[in-house]
Amino acid sequence: MVDVPVEQLTGAVDGVRTRARGQLLDAGLELFGVYGYAQTSEYALCATAGVTEEVFRNEFGSREGLLMALHNQITTAGLRASEVALLSEGMDDCPLEQRFRRLFDAYVSAVTRDLREARVTFVEVLGVSPAVDAHCKRWRDLWTDFLTGEAERAAVRGEVEERDHRVVVMVMVGTVHELMAHHARRPRRARPDEVSEELTKLGLAMLGIEMAG
């Protein structure tokens, strides 16, 4: 019998788990994003991913767990894209309208590049359970913090009124998600630039600024 170092065994197990997790995420994206969360069974997810129900439960616990993991993955990509846009060269010298447009261009592009991702993120998470609702609220709170910081920087530059912008931004974040859900449901998909222009107008209007013609 050949002795195999423990670290090699551990690495092999970790590799198998990583592959299984990726296969389940891919299966969730396909089934939730095409057929819908309510129409997708745990059995269908396991069959599509090629894993056992035991593996599924060990990795995600439930369909809700898989749905929230997918939502995390997609929404994180949107937030990271927005952060990169705001940190790009020349952004500090741009007027607020251009900064908002670049931010929303990056966000919309990241979360709608795959129509299945848009459906999962903005439609299939709605009304699933209190746990999923709480998960989505945590993300809305994170976006509120992020955009409130941008509004406060605009106030320092003298572009918007100096006041507490958090409540307005909270409303804006909720409205952004409603608009994204609306576009994700439409038979004719709006182009990403159309969606980001709509979101830019909304953001500026809520901060009391009229978008330039």
Side-chain angles (χ1 to χ4, degrees), residues 132-190:
V132 175
D133 289 346
H135 167 85
C136 292
K137 182 182 182 303
R138 286 193 293 273
W139 267 106
R140 288 194 300 272
D141 290 343
L142 186 60
W143 273 106
T144 297
D145 291 341
F146 178 65
L147 293 174
T148 299
E150 183 62 18
E152 289 171 351
R153 283 188 288 275
V156 170
R157 297 186 189 102
E159 295 172 307
V160 297
E161 180 185 348
E162 188 80 50
R163 58 187 170 89
D164 183 0
H165 292 281
R166 186 171 181 83
V167 173
V168 171
V169 172
M170 286 174 63
V171 175
M172 182 173 72
V173 168
T175 306
V176 165
H177 280 76
E178 289 176 10
L179 283 172
M180 293 299 293
H182 167 71
H183 285 296
R185 291 189 187 101
R186 289 174 64 181
R188 185 192 77 79
R189 302 285 183 173

Side-chain angles (χ1 to χ4, degrees), residues 51-129:
V51 303
T52 65
E53 292 185 10
E54 180 182 6
V55 168
F56 173 80
R57 294 196 184 100
N58 285 340
E59 290 301 318
F60 296 104
S62 65
R63 288 187 310 140
E64 286 181 16
L66 177 57
L67 179 66
M68 288 187 281
L70 271 173
H71 182 270
N72 266 341
Q73 180 175 283
I74 300 162
T75 309
T76 297
L79 181 60
R80 294 290 174 261
S82 299
E83 289 175 335
V84 169
L86 286 177
L87 293 172
S88 62
E89 186 177 355
M91 280 294 278
D92 286 341
D93 300 322
C94 286
L96 184 60
E97 180 179 327
Q98 288 185 29
R99 288 200 301 277
F100 263 44
R101 182 57 190 264
R102 290 189 190 182
L103 183 155
F104 284 124
D105 278 346
Y107 174 70
V108 171
S109 176
V111 299
T112 64
R113 64 180 181 269
D114 186 322
L115 298 181
R116 298 170 302 172
E117 291 183 344
R119 178 172 174 179
V120 167
T121 305
F122 301 107
V123 178
E124 295 306 318
V125 294
L126 300 176
V128 170
S129 70

